Coordinates of all heavy atoms in Angstrom, one line a residue:
M1 N 146.4 65.9 84.6 CA 145.9 65.7 85.9 C 145.1 64.4 86.0 O 144.3 64.1 85.2 CB 145.0 66.9 86.3 CG 144.5 66.8 87.7 SD 143.5 68.3 88.1 CE 143.2 68.1 89.8
K2 N 145.4 63.6 87.0 CA 144.8 62.3 87.2 C 143.3 62.5 87.6 O 143.0 63.4 88.4 CB 145.5 61.5 88.3 CG 146.9 61.0 87.9 CD 147.4 60.2 89.1 CE 148.7 59.6 88.7 NZ 149.2 58.7 89.8
K3 N 142.5 61.6 87.1 CA 141.1 61.5 87.6 C 141.1 60.9 89.0 O 141.9 60.0 89.3 CB 140.3 60.6 86.7 CG 140.2 61.2 85.3 CD 139.2 62.3 85.2 CE 139.0 62.8 83.8 NZ 138.1 63.8 83.7
R4 N 140.2 61.4 89.8 CA 140.1 61.0 91.2 C 139.0 60.0 91.4 O 137.8 60.3 91.0 CB 139.9 62.2 92.1 CG 139.8 61.9 93.6 CD 139.7 63.2 94.4 NE 139.3 63.1 95.7 CZ 140.1 62.7 96.7 NH1 141.3 62.5 96.5 NH2 139.6 62.6 97.9
V5 N 139.3 58.9 92.0 CA 138.3 57.9 92.3 C 138.1 57.8 93.8 O 139.1 57.6 94.5 CB 138.7 56.5 91.7 CG1 137.7 55.4 92.2 CG2 138.7 56.6 90.2
L6 N 136.9 57.8 94.3 CA 136.6 57.6 95.7 C 136.2 56.1 95.8 O 135.2 55.7 95.2 CB 135.5 58.5 96.2 CG 135.0 58.2 97.6 CD1 136.1 58.3 98.7 CD2 133.8 59.1 98.0
L7 N 136.9 55.4 96.6 CA 136.6 53.9 96.8 C 136.2 53.8 98.2 O 136.9 54.2 99.2 CB 137.9 53.1 96.6 CG 137.8 51.6 97.0 CD1 136.8 50.9 96.1 CD2 139.2 51.0 96.9
A8 N 135.0 53.2 98.4 CA 134.4 52.9 99.7 C 134.2 51.4 99.9 O 133.4 50.8 99.2 CB 133.1 53.6 99.9
E9 N 135.0 50.8 100.7 CA 135.0 49.3 100.9 C 135.5 49.0 102.3 O 136.5 49.5 102.7 CB 136.0 48.7 99.9 CG 136.3 47.2 100.1 CD 135.0 46.4 100.0 OE1 134.4 46.3 98.9 OE2 134.7 45.7 101.0
D10 N 134.6 48.3 103.0 CA 135.0 48.0 104.4 C 136.0 46.8 104.6 O 136.7 46.8 105.6 CB 133.7 47.7 105.2 CG 132.9 46.5 104.8 OD1 132.7 46.3 103.5 OD2 132.5 45.7 105.6
D11 N 136.0 45.9 103.7 CA 137.0 44.8 103.8 C 138.4 45.3 103.5 O 138.6 45.8 102.3 CB 136.6 43.7 102.9 CG 137.6 42.5 103.0 OD1 137.5 41.8 104.0 OD2 138.4 42.4 102.0
P12 N 139.3 45.2 104.4 CA 140.7 45.8 104.2 C 141.4 45.2 103.0 O 142.0 45.9 102.2 CB 141.4 45.5 105.5 CG 140.4 45.1 106.5 CD 139.2 44.7 105.8
D13 N 141.3 43.9 102.8 CA 142.0 43.3 101.7 C 141.5 43.7 100.4 O 142.2 44.0 99.4 CB 142.0 41.7 101.8 CG 142.8 41.2 103.0 OD1 143.7 41.9 103.5 OD2 142.4 40.1 103.5
T14 N 140.2 43.7 100.3 CA 139.5 44.2 99.0 C 139.8 45.6 98.8 O 140.0 46.0 97.6 CB 138.0 43.9 99.1 OG1 137.8 42.5 99.4 CG2 137.3 44.3 97.8
R15 N 139.8 46.4 99.8 CA 140.1 47.9 99.7 C 141.5 48.1 99.1 O 141.7 48.9 98.2 CB 139.9 48.6 101.0 CG 140.0 50.1 100.9 CD 139.6 50.8 102.2 NE 140.4 50.4 103.3 CZ 139.9 49.7 104.4 NH1 138.7 49.3 104.4 NH2 140.7 49.3 105.4
V16 N 142.4 47.4 99.7 CA 143.8 47.5 99.2 C 144.0 47.0 97.8 O 144.6 47.7 96.9 CB 144.8 46.7 100.1 CG1 146.2 46.6 99.5 CG2 144.9 47.4 101.5
L17 N 143.4 45.9 97.5 CA 143.4 45.3 96.1 C 142.8 46.3 95.1 O 143.4 46.6 94.0 CB 142.7 44.0 96.0 CG 142.7 43.3 94.7 CD1 144.1 43.0 94.2 CD2 141.8 42.0 94.7
L18 N 141.6 46.7 95.3 CA 140.9 47.7 94.4 C 141.7 49.0 94.3 O 141.8 49.5 93.2 CB 139.5 47.9 94.8 CG 138.5 46.8 94.6 CD1 137.2 47.1 95.2 CD2 138.4 46.4 93.2
S19 N 142.3 49.5 95.4 CA 143.1 50.7 95.3 C 144.3 50.5 94.4 O 144.6 51.4 93.6 CB 143.5 51.1 96.7 OG 142.5 51.5 97.5
L20 N 145.0 49.4 94.6 CA 146.1 49.1 93.7 C 145.8 49.0 92.3 O 146.5 49.5 91.4 CB 146.8 47.8 94.2 CG 147.6 47.9 95.5 CD1 148.0 46.5 96.0 CD2 148.7 48.8 95.4
V21 N 144.7 48.3 92.0 CA 144.3 48.1 90.6 C 143.9 49.5 90.0 O 144.3 49.8 88.9 CB 143.1 47.2 90.5 CG1 142.4 47.2 89.1 CG2 143.5 45.7 90.8
L22 N 143.2 50.3 90.7 CA 142.8 51.6 90.2 C 144.0 52.5 90.0 O 144.2 53.2 89.0 CB 141.8 52.3 91.1 CG 140.4 51.7 91.1 CD1 139.6 52.1 92.3 CD2 139.7 52.0 89.8
A23 N 145.0 52.5 91.0 CA 146.2 53.3 90.9 C 147.0 52.8 89.7 O 147.6 53.7 89.0 CB 147.0 53.2 92.2
E24 N 147.1 51.6 89.5 CA 147.9 51.0 88.3 C 147.3 51.5 87.0 O 148.0 51.6 86.0 CB 148.0 49.5 88.4 CG 148.9 49.0 89.4 CD 148.9 47.5 89.5 OE1 148.2 46.8 88.7 OE2 149.7 46.9 90.3
Q25 N 146.0 51.8 87.0 CA 145.3 52.3 85.8 C 145.4 53.8 85.7 O 144.9 54.4 84.8 CB 143.9 51.8 85.8 CG 143.7 50.3 85.7 CD 144.3 49.8 84.4 OE1 144.1 50.3 83.3 NE2 145.1 48.7 84.6
G26 N 146.2 54.4 86.6 CA 146.4 55.8 86.5 C 145.5 56.8 87.3 O 145.5 58.0 87.1
Y27 N 144.7 56.2 88.1 CA 143.8 57.0 88.9 C 144.4 57.4 90.3 O 145.2 56.7 90.9 CB 142.4 56.3 89.2 CG 141.7 56.0 87.9 CD1 141.7 54.7 87.4 CD2 140.9 57.0 87.3 CE1 141.0 54.4 86.2 CE2 140.2 56.7 86.1 CZ 140.3 55.4 85.6 OH 139.6 55.2 84.4
D28 N 144.0 58.6 90.8 CA 144.3 59.0 92.1 C 143.2 58.5 93.0 O 142.0 58.8 92.8 CB 144.3 60.5 92.2 CG 144.6 61.1 93.6 OD1 145.2 60.4 94.4 OD2 144.1 62.2 93.8
V29 N 143.5 57.6 93.9 CA 142.5 56.9 94.7 C 142.4 57.4 96.2 O 143.4 57.5 96.8 CB 142.8 55.4 94.8 CG1 141.7 54.6 95.6 CG2 142.9 54.8 93.3
A30 N 141.2 57.8 96.6 CA 140.9 58.1 98.0 C 140.1 56.9 98.5 O 139.0 56.6 98.0 CB 140.2 59.4 98.1
A31 N 140.6 56.2 99.5 CA 139.9 55.0 100.1 C 139.3 55.3 101.4 O 139.9 55.9 102.3 CB 140.9 53.9 100.2
A32 N 138.0 54.9 101.5 CA 137.2 55.0 102.8 C 136.9 53.6 103.3 O 136.6 52.7 102.5 CB 136.0 55.8 102.5
R33 N 136.7 53.5 104.6 CA 136.4 52.2 105.2 C 134.9 52.0 105.3 O 134.4 50.9 105.6 CB 137.0 52.1 106.6 CG 138.5 52.1 106.6 CD 139.1 52.1 107.9 NE 138.8 53.5 108.5 CZ 139.6 54.1 109.3 NH1 140.7 53.5 109.7 NH2 139.3 55.3 109.7
D34 N 134.1 53.1 105.2 CA 132.6 52.9 105.3 C 132.0 54.2 104.6 O 132.7 55.1 104.2 CB 132.2 52.8 106.7 CG 132.6 53.9 107.6 OD1 132.5 55.1 107.2 OD2 133.1 53.6 108.7
G35 N 130.7 54.2 104.6 CA 129.9 55.3 104.0 C 130.1 56.6 104.7 O 130.1 57.6 104.0
V36 N 130.3 56.6 106.0 CA 130.4 57.9 106.7 C 131.8 58.5 106.3 O 131.8 59.7 106.0 CB 130.4 57.6 108.2 CG1 130.8 58.9 109.0 CG2 129.0 57.1 108.7
E37 N 132.8 57.7 106.2 CA 134.1 58.2 105.8 C 134.1 58.6 104.3 O 134.7 59.6 104.0 CB 135.2 57.1 106.1 CG 136.6 57.6 106.0 CD 137.6 56.6 106.4 OE1 137.5 56.1 107.5 OE2 138.5 56.2 105.6
A38 N 133.4 57.9 103.5 CA 133.3 58.2 102.1 C 132.6 59.5 101.9 O 133.1 60.3 101.1 CB 132.5 57.1 101.4
L39 N 131.5 59.8 102.6 CA 130.8 61.0 102.4 C 131.7 62.2 102.8 O 131.8 63.2 102.1 CB 129.6 61.0 103.3 CG 128.6 62.2 103.2 CD1 128.2 62.4 101.7 CD2 127.4 62.0 104.1
A40 N 132.5 62.0 103.9 CA 133.4 63.1 104.4 C 134.5 63.4 103.3 O 134.8 64.5 103.0 CB 134.0 62.8 105.7
L41 N 135.1 62.3 102.8 CA 136.1 62.5 101.8 C 135.6 63.1 100.5 O 136.2 64.0 99.9 CB 136.7 61.1 101.4 CG 137.7 60.5 102.5 CD1 138.1 59.1 102.1 CD2 138.9 61.4 102.7
A42 N 134.4 62.7 100.1 CA 133.8 63.3 98.9 C 133.5 64.8 99.1 O 133.6 65.6 98.1 CB 132.5 62.5 98.5
E43 N 133.0 65.2 100.2 CA 132.7 66.6 100.5 C 134.0 67.4 100.5 O 134.0 68.6 100.1 CB 131.9 66.7 101.8 CG 130.5 66.2 101.7 CD 129.8 66.2 103.0 OE1 130.4 66.2 104.1 OE2 128.5 66.3 103.0
Q44 N 135.1 66.8 101.0 CA 136.4 67.6 101.0 C 136.9 67.8 99.6 O 137.5 68.8 99.3 CB 137.4 66.8 101.8 CG 137.2 66.8 103.3 CD 138.2 65.9 104.0 OE1 139.0 65.3 103.4 NE2 138.0 65.8 105.3
D45 N 136.9 66.8 98.8 CA 137.4 66.8 97.4 C 136.5 66.0 96.5 O 136.6 64.7 96.5 CB 138.8 66.3 97.4 CG 139.6 66.5 96.2 OD1 139.1 67.3 95.3 OD2 140.7 66.1 96.0
V46 N 135.7 66.6 95.7 CA 134.8 65.9 94.8 C 135.5 65.0 93.9 O 136.3 65.4 93.1 CB 133.9 66.9 94.1 CG1 132.9 66.2 93.1 CG2 133.1 67.8 95.0
P47 N 135.1 63.7 93.9 CA 135.7 62.7 93.0 C 135.1 62.8 91.6 O 134.1 63.3 91.4 CB 135.4 61.4 93.7 CG 134.1 61.6 94.4 CD 134.2 63.0 94.8
D48 N 135.9 62.2 90.7 CA 135.3 62.0 89.3 C 134.5 60.8 89.2 O 133.7 60.7 88.3 CB 136.5 62.0 88.3 CG 137.3 63.2 88.3 OD1 136.7 64.3 87.9 OD2 138.5 63.2 88.7
L49 N 134.7 59.8 90.1 CA 134.0 58.6 90.1 C 133.9 58.0 91.5 O 134.9 58.2 92.3 CB 134.7 57.5 89.2 CG 134.1 56.1 89.1 CD1 132.7 56.1 88.5 CD2 135.1 55.2 88.4
I50 N 132.8 57.4 91.8 CA 132.7 56.7 93.1 C 132.5 55.2 92.9 O 131.7 54.8 92.1 CB 131.4 57.2 93.9 CG1 131.5 58.7 94.1 CG2 131.2 56.4 95.2 CD1 130.2 59.4 94.4
V51 N 133.4 54.4 93.6 CA 133.3 53.0 93.5 C 132.9 52.6 95.0 O 133.8 52.8 95.9 CB 134.6 52.3 93.1 CG1 134.5 50.8 93.1 CG2 134.9 52.8 91.7
M52 N 131.7 52.0 95.2 CA 131.3 51.8 96.6 C 130.7 50.4 96.8 O 129.9 50.0 96.0 CB 130.2 52.9 96.9 CG 129.9 52.9 98.3 SD 128.9 54.3 98.9 CE 129.1 55.6 97.7
D53 N 131.1 49.8 97.9 CA 130.5 48.6 98.4 C 129.1 48.9 98.9 O 128.9 50.0 99.4 CB 131.4 48.0 99.5 CG 131.0 46.7 100.0 OD1 130.2 46.0 99.3 OD2 131.4 46.2 101.0
Q54 N 128.2 48.0 98.8 CA 126.9 48.2 99.3 C 126.8 47.9 100.8 O 126.3 48.6 101.6 CB 125.9 47.3 98.6 CG 124.5 47.2 99.2 CD 123.8 48.6 99.4 OE1 124.2 49.6 98.9 NE2 122.8 48.5 100.3
M55 N 127.4 46.7 101.2 CA 127.2 46.3 102.6 C 128.4 46.8 103.4 O 129.5 46.1 103.4 CB 127.1 44.8 102.7 CG 125.8 44.3 101.9 SD 125.6 42.5 101.9 CE 127.0 42.0 100.9
M56 N 128.3 47.9 104.1 CA 129.3 48.4 105.0 C 128.7 48.8 106.3 O 127.6 49.1 106.4 CB 129.9 49.7 104.3 CG 130.6 49.4 103.0 SD 131.4 50.9 102.4 CE 130.0 51.9 101.9
P57 N 129.6 48.9 107.4 CA 129.1 49.3 108.7 C 128.9 50.8 108.7 O 129.3 51.5 107.9 CB 130.3 48.9 109.6 CG 131.5 48.9 108.7 CD 131.0 48.5 107.4
R58 N 128.1 51.2 109.7 CA 127.8 52.6 110.0 C 126.9 53.3 108.9 O 126.0 54.0 109.3 CB 129.0 53.5 110.2 CG 129.9 53.1 111.3 CD 130.8 54.2 111.9 NE 131.7 54.8 110.9 CZ 132.3 55.9 111.1 NH1 132.1 56.6 112.2 NH2 133.1 56.4 110.2
M59 N 127.1 53.0 107.6 CA 126.3 53.6 106.6 C 126.4 52.7 105.3 O 127.6 52.5 104.9 CB 126.6 55.0 106.3 CG 125.7 55.6 105.2 SD 126.3 57.3 104.7 CE 126.2 58.2 106.2
T60 N 125.3 52.2 104.8 CA 125.4 51.3 103.6 C 125.8 52.2 102.4 O 125.7 53.4 102.4 CB 124.1 50.6 103.4 OG1 123.1 51.6 103.0 CG2 123.6 49.8 104.5
G61 N 126.2 51.5 101.4 CA 126.5 52.2 100.1 C 125.3 52.9 99.6 O 125.3 54.1 99.1
T62 N 124.1 52.3 99.7 CA 122.9 53.0 99.2 C 122.5 54.2 100.0 O 122.2 55.3 99.5 CB 121.7 52.0 99.4 OG1 122.0 50.8 98.6 CG2 120.4 52.6 98.8
D63 N 122.7 54.1 101.3 CA 122.4 55.3 102.2 C 123.4 56.4 101.9 O 123.0 57.6 101.8 CB 122.4 55.0 103.7 CG 121.3 54.1 104.1 OD1 120.3 54.0 103.3 OD2 121.4 53.4 105.1
C64 N 124.7 56.1 101.7 CA 125.7 57.0 101.4 C 125.4 57.7 100.1 O 125.5 58.9 99.9 CB 127.1 56.4 101.4 SG 128.4 57.5 101.1
L65 N 125.1 56.9 99.1 CA 124.9 57.4 97.7 C 123.6 58.3 97.7 O 123.6 59.3 97.0 CB 124.8 56.3 96.7 CG 124.7 56.8 95.2 CD1 126.0 57.6 94.9 CD2 124.5 55.6 94.3
T66 N 122.6 57.9 98.5 CA 121.4 58.8 98.6 C 121.8 60.2 99.1 O 121.3 61.2 98.6 CB 120.3 58.1 99.5 OG1 120.0 56.9 98.9 CG2 119.1 59.0 99.6
M67 N 122.6 60.2 100.1 CA 123.1 61.5 100.6 C 123.9 62.3 99.6 O 123.8 63.5 99.5 CB 123.8 61.3 101.9 CG 122.9 60.8 103.1 SD 123.8 60.6 104.6 CE 124.0 62.3 105.1
M68 N 124.7 61.5 98.9 CA 125.6 62.2 97.9 C 124.7 62.7 96.7 O 125.0 63.8 96.2 CB 126.6 61.2 97.3 CG 127.7 60.9 98.3 SD 128.9 59.7 97.6 CE 130.1 59.6 98.9
R69 N 123.7 62.0 96.3 CA 122.8 62.4 95.2 C 122.1 63.7 95.6 O 121.7 64.5 94.7 CB 121.8 61.3 94.8 CG 122.5 60.1 94.2 CD 123.1 60.5 92.8 NE 123.5 59.3 92.1 CZ 124.7 59.1 91.6 NH1 125.6 60.1 91.7 NH2 125.0 58.1 90.9
A70 N 121.8 63.9 96.9 CA 121.1 65.1 97.3 C 122.1 66.3 97.5 O 121.6 67.5 97.7 CB 120.4 64.8 98.6
H71 N 123.4 66.1 97.5 CA 124.4 67.1 97.7 C 124.6 67.9 96.4 O 124.8 67.3 95.3 CB 125.7 66.4 98.1 CG 126.7 67.4 98.6 ND1 127.5 68.2 97.8 CD2 127.1 67.6 99.9 CE1 128.3 68.9 98.6 NE2 128.1 68.6 99.8
P72 N 124.6 69.2 96.4 CA 124.8 70.0 95.2 C 126.0 69.7 94.4 O 126.0 69.8 93.2 CB 124.7 71.4 95.7 CG 124.7 71.4 97.1 CD 124.5 70.0 97.6
R73 N 127.2 69.4 95.0 CA 128.4 69.2 94.3 C 128.6 67.7 94.0 O 129.4 67.4 93.1 CB 129.6 69.7 95.1 CG 129.6 71.2 95.3 CD 130.8 71.8 95.9 NE 131.3 70.9 97.0 CZ 132.6 70.7 97.3 NH1 133.5 71.4 96.6 NH2 133.0 69.9 98.2
L74 N 127.9 66.8 94.6 CA 128.2 65.4 94.5 C 127.1 64.7 93.7 O 127.2 63.5 93.3 CB 128.3 64.7 95.8 CG 129.4 65.2 96.7 CD1 129.3 64.5 98.1 CD2 130.8 65.0 96.1
G75 N 126.0 65.3 93.4 CA 124.8 64.7 92.9 C 125.0 64.1 91.5 O 124.3 63.1 91.2
R76 N 125.9 64.5 90.7 CA 126.1 64.0 89.4 C 127.3 63.2 89.2 O 127.6 62.8 88.1 CB 126.1 65.2 88.4 CG 124.8 65.9 88.3 CD 124.8 67.0 87.3 NE 123.6 67.8 87.4 CZ 122.8 67.9 86.4 NH1 123.0 67.4 85.3 NH2 121.7 68.6 86.6
V77 N 128.0 62.9 90.3 CA 129.2 62.1 90.1 C 128.8 60.6 89.8 O 128.0 60.0 90.6 CB 130.1 62.1 91.4 CG1 131.3 61.2 91.3 CG2 130.5 63.5 91.7
P78 N 129.3 60.0 88.8 CA 129.0 58.6 88.5 C 129.4 57.7 89.6 O 130.4 57.9 90.2 CB 129.7 58.3 87.2 CG 130.3 59.6 86.7 CD 130.3 60.5 87.8
A79 N 128.5 56.7 89.9 CA 128.8 55.7 91.0 C 128.6 54.3 90.5 O 127.7 54.0 89.9 CB 127.9 56.0 92.2
V80 N 129.6 53.5 90.9 CA 129.6 52.0 90.6 C 129.5 51.3 91.9 O 130.2 51.5 92.8 CB 130.9 51.6 89.9 CG1 130.9 50.1 89.6 CG2 131.1 52.4 88.6
M81 N 128.5 50.3 91.9 CA 128.4 49.5 93.1 C 129.3 48.3 93.0 O 129.3 47.7 91.9 CB 126.9 49.0 93.3 CG 126.7 48.1 94.5 SD 125.2 47.1 94.4 CE 124.0 48.3 94.7
V82 N 130.0 48.0 94.1 CA 130.7 46.7 94.2 C 130.1 45.9 95.3 O 130.0 46.5 96.4 CB 132.2 47.0 94.5 CG1 133.0 45.7 94.7 CG2 132.8 47.9 93.4
T83 N 129.7 44.7 95.0 CA 129.0 43.9 96.1 C 129.2 42.4 95.9 O 129.3 42.0 94.7 CB 127.5 44.3 96.2 OG1 126.9 43.6 97.3 CG2 126.8 44.0 94.9
A84 N 129.1 41.7 96.9 CA 129.2 40.2 96.9 C 127.7 39.7 96.9 O 127.5 38.5 96.7 CB 129.9 39.7 98.0
A85 N 126.8 40.6 97.0 CA 125.4 40.2 97.1 C 124.7 40.2 95.7 O 124.3 41.3 95.2 CB 124.6 41.1 98.1
A86 N 124.7 39.1 95.1 CA 124.2 39.0 93.7 C 122.8 39.5 93.5 O 122.4 40.0 92.5 CB 124.3 37.5 93.2
G87 N 122.0 39.4 94.6 CA 120.6 39.9 94.5 C 120.5 41.4 94.3 O 119.4 41.9 93.9
L88 N 121.5 42.1 94.7 CA 121.5 43.6 94.5 C 121.8 44.0 93.1 O 121.5 45.2 92.8 CB 122.5 44.2 95.5 CG 122.1 44.1 97.0 CD1 123.2 44.6 97.8 CD2 120.8 44.7 97.3
V89 N 122.3 43.2 92.3 CA 122.8 43.6 91.0 C 121.6 44.1 90.2 O 121.7 45.1 89.5 CB 123.5 42.4 90.3 CG1 123.7 42.8 88.8 CG2 124.8 42.1 91.0
H90 N 120.5 43.4 90.2 CA 119.3 43.8 89.4 C 118.6 45.1 89.9 O 118.0 45.7 89.1 CB 118.3 42.6 89.3 CG 118.9 41.4 88.6 ND1 119.2 41.4 87.3 CD2 119.2 40.2 89.2 CE1 119.7 40.2 87.0 NE2 119.8 39.5 88.1
G91 N 118.8 45.4 91.1 CA 118.2 46.6 91.6 C 119.1 47.8 91.7 O 118.7 48.8 92.3
A92 N 120.3 47.7 91.2 CA 121.3 48.8 91.4 C 120.8 50.1 90.8 O 121.0 51.2 91.4 CB 122.6 48.4 90.7
E93 N 120.1 50.1 89.7 CA 119.6 51.4 89.1 C 118.6 52.0 90.0 O 118.6 53.3 90.2 CB 119.0 51.1 87.7 CG 120.1 50.8 86.7 CD 119.5 50.5 85.3 OE1 118.2 50.6 85.2 OE2 120.2 50.2 84.4
Q94 N 117.8 51.2 90.6 CA 116.8 51.8 91.5 C 117.5 52.3 92.8 O 117.0 53.2 93.4 CB 115.8 50.7 91.9 CG 114.9 50.3 90.8 CD 113.9 49.2 91.2 OE1 114.0 48.7 92.3 NE2 113.1 48.8 90.3
L95 N 118.6 51.8 93.1 CA 119.4 52.2 94.3 C 120.3 53.5 93.9 O 121.0 53.9 94.7 CB 120.3 51.1 94.8 CG 119.6 49.9 95.3 CD1 120.6 48.8 95.6 CD2 118.7 50.2 96.5
R96 N 120.1 54.0 92.7 CA 120.8 55.2 92.2 C 122.2 55.0 91.8 O 122.9 56.0 91.7 CB 120.6 56.3 93.2 CG 119.1 56.5 93.6 CD 118.9 57.6 94.4 NE 118.9 58.8 93.6 CZ 118.8 60.1 94.1 NH1 118.6 60.2 95.4 NH2 118.9 61.1 93.3
F97 N 122.7 53.8 91.6 CA 124.0 53.5 91.1 C 123.9 53.5 89.6 O 122.9 53.2 89.0 CB 124.5 52.2 91.6 CG 125.0 52.2 93.0 CD1 124.1 51.9 94.0 CD2 126.3 52.5 93.3 CE1 124.5 51.9 95.4 CE2 126.7 52.6 94.6 CZ 125.8 52.2 95.7
D98 N 125.0 53.9 88.9 CA 125.1 54.0 87.5 C 125.5 52.6 86.9 O 125.2 52.4 85.7 CB 126.1 55.1 87.0 CG 125.6 56.4 87.5 OD1 124.6 56.9 87.0 OD2 126.2 57.0 88.4
A99 N 126.2 51.8 87.6 CA 126.7 50.5 87.2 C 127.0 49.6 88.3 O 127.1 50.1 89.5 CB 127.9 50.7 86.3
V100 N 127.1 48.4 88.1 CA 127.4 47.4 89.1 C 128.6 46.6 88.7 O 128.8 46.2 87.5 CB 126.3 46.4 89.3 CG1 126.6 45.4 90.4 CG2 125.0 47.2 89.7

């Protein structure tokens, strides 16, 4: 059975590229356009890994992950931050991400 990755990325080109790379590595990818959509997808089918952009409309990656960490089924799912904001890299652990 393939591991499921939830990808949350608002940029369409980046979302498609990351989805293709993850799928080529053998993962089942569920892609969301923002944090609101990511939270809904995660609640429907708990992923094995979350790959999330920080700067997204409607709900940032940090806000989404905070809600996921409080959820009984999603709280322990590893999460990787993807961001173009270099300044966020050093604070990722404080933001509750496992890796950047």
Side-chain angles (χ1 to χ4, degrees):
M1 183 174 187
K2 288 184 178 183
K3 296 286 185 175
R4 180 177 166 83
V5 175
L6 171 60
L7 170 65
E9 170 60 62
D10 63 314
D11 179 73
D13 293 334
T14 304
R15 188 173 56 249
V16 168
L17 177 64
L18 289 174
S19 292
L20 288 172
V21 169
L22 290 165
E24 285 177 359
Q25 295 301 311
Y27 296 101
D28 177 26
V29 181
R33 294 175 291 215
D34 59 42
V36 173
E37 193 173 302
L39 186 57
L41 286 173
E43 288 174 336
Q44 288 174 2
D45 192 5
V46 177
D48 296 294
L49 175 68
I50 300 162
V51 177
M52 189 169 338
D53 185 16
Q54 168 55 18
M55 298 179 293
M56 296 184 290
R58 298 201 305 163
M59 183 187 298
T60 66
T62 302
D63 290 342
C64 182
L65 189 61
T66 297
M67 293 181 76
M68 288 179 177
R69 292 293 189 232
H71 192 285
R73 295 185 324 146
L74 302 174
R76 295 181 186 239
V77 177
V80 177
M81 178 196 291
V82 177
T83 184
L88 292 175
V89 172
H90 298 292
E93 289 177 2
Q94 293 176 356
L95 298 174
R96 306 186 78 183
F97 284 90
D98 298 292
V100 181

